[in-house]
Amino acid sequence: MHPTTPALSAPEYRLPESHHAFVRACRVIPGGVNSPARAFGAVGGEPPFMARAQGQYLYDIDGHQYIDYIGSWGPMILGHAHPAVRAAVVEALDLGSSFGAPTTREVEIAEAVVAAVPSIEKVRFVSSGTEAAMSTIRVARGVTGRNKIVKMAGHYHGHVDALLVQAGSAATTLGTPNSPGVTPGATEDTILCPFNDAEAVADALSRFPGQVAAVLLEPVAGNMGLVPPRPGYLERLRELTEKAGTLLVFDEVMTGFRLALGGAQERFGVTPDLTALGKIIGGGLPAAAYGARAGVMESISPVGPIFQAGTLSGNPLAMAAGLTTLRLLRDDPPYDRLDALTARLEDGLRRVASDARVPHVVQRVGSMITLFFNPEEVHDYDDARRSDTKLFARFFWELLARGVYLPCSQFEAAFVSAAHTDADIDHTIAAANEALKAIMG
Ligand SMILES: *Cc1c(COP(=O)(O)O)cnc(C)c1O
């Protein structure tokens, strides 16, 4: 939902097989894609179609290999087609792909989530991050009997009606929808605040006393490029919400199991009331979840009155992939190595961008990283939007042509996986150096 940049010029990078597939796709699928982020709208041109992926690499149908920094937009922390994950899915498939009845694998993965994530005593599985975020809001409203929610500009929580608001105003404003088809009624209870401005939240809570059900945010923002919380910000939100009887909701769909096994809440030591999870929790298959302390979760059906359901929720294949992924992350935590690998990338990008005299700032938390073509540090959506997106688009294509696949927008975090090596990172830095030299002449 970020503003798109017009293509600078048709990229020289030619992909005949992908072009053919894209033309065919556009006849029967809107924009040729099943999710808009894949369509290269922000960088212009046409996306390569992928044939397969292994470890840290993607392979397109034109025969090119890419070092992958998308990781399916977050899930593939162990790399693609991990042998243990693959084996677990195949084993589950042989036993039947969906029952619509409970399975022990759901209990095992729920136990793994409860053990890992500090705020969660009980957890409910759903099939997408959108569903998870939507459900946290329903539960927060149902439990508090309040209607209003606070969300942060530039934070993405899936395509939930009430959350498709991010006008990016510096002031606390009442939200207006930013998609046709979302009624003003759906967003009239959504209060927009800038990220990293706790006083804006304090102001919203005091302007609507006893009316705010939830303050919802990405504890580390990844959907406007990587933007860390300022020191003390999450702690202050915890205090403010507690005082106001408002539930603090962390959308950890991206950060869960990535910034630590217990997500951003473990890494930063701030415990929310409700947590949305997704991406890694499905190990590359469609699964997501939301959880909280037992009292809150027991307000949902069939125990309590708040309704939420799903035909394919807890799907056996997704649970097998997710459970295997979580166990691998628990038993052989890759987090220190991911930190070191991504720090190497951070240092290298900073070095080559400085050498090329490009205004830039590199922001990173753990294995999430963004090179902003922005002279200033980025703390909120307004800062992010001052980045040079035209320059980013050129950089993106220059890197793609050199076998490096970054997220196709300045406003998306890149991910490093446990399958990446120092050699991949060094190749990427060298490619970035060549790319910036080519661009800056
Ligand atoms: C990806 C994402 C979502 C949406 O998840 P889907 O599975 O795409 O519906 C929600 N919140 C955050 C923070 C995300 O990164």
Side-chain angles (χ1 to χ4, degrees):
M1 295 308 298
H2 299 286
T4 54
T5 319
L8 273 183
S9 59
E12 285 307 299
Y13 193 51
R14 292 270 163 243
L15 300 166
E17 293 297 326
S18 290
H19 173 69
H20 179 70
F22 189 60
V23 170
R24 222 176 114 196
C26 286
R27 285 194 203 114
V28 287
I29 302 171
V33 292
N34 280 310
S35 192
R38 297 171 203 166
F40 281 26
V43 293
E46 297 174 0
F49 275 57
M50 293 304 161
R52 64 189 180 90
Q54 183 66 56
Q56 69 276 49
Y57 300 122
L58 291 169
Y59 300 86
D60 72 19
I61 62 175
D62 290 273
H64 301 104
Q65 173 183 302
Y66 305 94
I67 303 174
D68 178 20
Y69 288 100
I70 303 190
S72 187
W73 300 93
M76 311 314 298
I77 191 168
L78 297 174
H80 296 279
H82 188 286
V85 176
R86 183 190 176 280
V89 173
V90 169
E91 190 188 329
L93 179 61
D94 284 339
L95 300 174
S97 58
S98 186
F99 312 126
T103 61
T104 50
R105 215 183 266 109
E106 292 165 88
V107 184
E108 290 177 282
I109 191 169
E111 287 169 349
V113 171
V114 167
V117 184
S119 65
I120 296 184
E121 290 174 353
K122 293 200 174 191
V123 61
R124 168 65 59 83
F125 274 82
V126 292
S127 298
S128 72
T130 296
E131 259 188 284
M134 179 186 76
S135 303
T136 61
I137 297 227
R138 182 175 303 153
V139 169
R141 285 171 163 165
V143 163
T144 59
R146 301 173 176 188
N147 291 341
K148 294 199 184 299
I149 51 177
V150 170
K151 92 164 277 277
M152 309 306 159
H155 287 210
Y156 179 65
H157 306 290
H159 60 97
V160 181
D161 279 2
L163 302 175
L164 281 179
V165 182
Q166 53 187 203
S169 160
T172 308
T173 53
L174 287 176
T176 48
N178 65 357
S179 165
V182 177
T183 64
T187 58
E188 72 184 5
D189 287 318
T190 305
I191 303 163
L192 196 65
C193 287
F195 184 46
N196 271 324
D197 182 352
E199 292 324 298
V201 175
D203 181 53
L205 292 172
S206 66
R207 276 189 11 203
F208 300 102
Q211 297 175 59
V212 180
V215 170
L216 166 71
L217 74 158
E218 298 178 59
V220 172
N223 286 288
M224 53 178 172
L226 190 280
V227 185
R230 287 184 192 268
Y233 172 70
L234 297 174
E235 290 83 351
R236 180 84 178 120
L237 293 188
R238 181 63 283 182
E239 275 169 29
L240 288 168
T241 47
E242 211 153 281
K243 217 176 290 166
T246 296
L247 298 187
L248 181 62
V249 184
F250 280 3
D251 181 345
E252 296 229 43
V253 169
M254 189 181 277
T255 53
F257 310 104
R258 176 163 289 277
L259 296 184
L261 191 64
Q265 56 195 269
E266 177 188 328
R267 193 171 178 121
F268 290 89
V270 176
T271 307
D273 297 295
L274 271 155
T275 301
L277 296 165
K279 299 196 166 118
I280 290 171
I281 205 171
L285 272 78
Y290 64 101
R293 59 185 173 271
V296 170
M297 291 307 283
E298 277 161 6
S299 65
I300 67 174
S301 52
V303 187
I306 301 169
F307 189 72
Q308 184 271 311
T311 301
L312 290 174
S313 295
N315 172 264
L317 304 189
M319 295 300 95
L323 178 59
T324 306
T325 299
L326 299 194
R327 282 185 174 159
L328 288 164
L329 292 172
R330 179 195 64 195
D331 296 342
D332 184 16
Y335 301 105
D336 289 344
R337 209 176 76 77
L338 285 173
D339 223 53
L341 271 172
T342 318
R344 186 183 184 99
L345 180 61
E346 178 187 12
D347 292 345
L349 289 176
R350 212 171 262 146
R351 191 173 63 243
V352 300
S354 297
D355 285 352
R357 300 182 195 287
V358 187
H360 69 279
V361 57
V362 185
Q363 301 195 171
R364 177 181 78 84
V365 178
S367 57
M368 297 167 65
I369 184 168
T370 297
L371 163 59
F372 285 102
F373 292 112
N374 192 317
E376 310 281 346
E377 276 182 26
V378 173
H379 296 292
D380 61 27
Y381 194 39
D382 284 345
D383 293 345
R385 287 199 296 184
R386 282 192 287 269
S387 303
D388 186 342
T389 53
K390 290 201 163 79
L391 183 55
F392 176 84
R394 294 191 58 188
F395 182 65
F396 169 84
W397 280 107
E398 293 288 346
L399 279 188
L400 199 71
R402 290 172 175 82
V404 175
Y405 200 109
L406 283 187
C408 50
S409 163
Q410 173 75 97
F411 306 112
E412 301 282 0
F415 300 104
V416 174
S417 82
H420 286 76
T421 64
D422 281 348
D424 295 315
I425 301 295
D426 292 346
H427 177 93
T428 303
I429 295 165
N433 188 36
E434 286 180 26
L436 290 172
K437 294 239 158 84
I439 294 166
M440 303 307 281

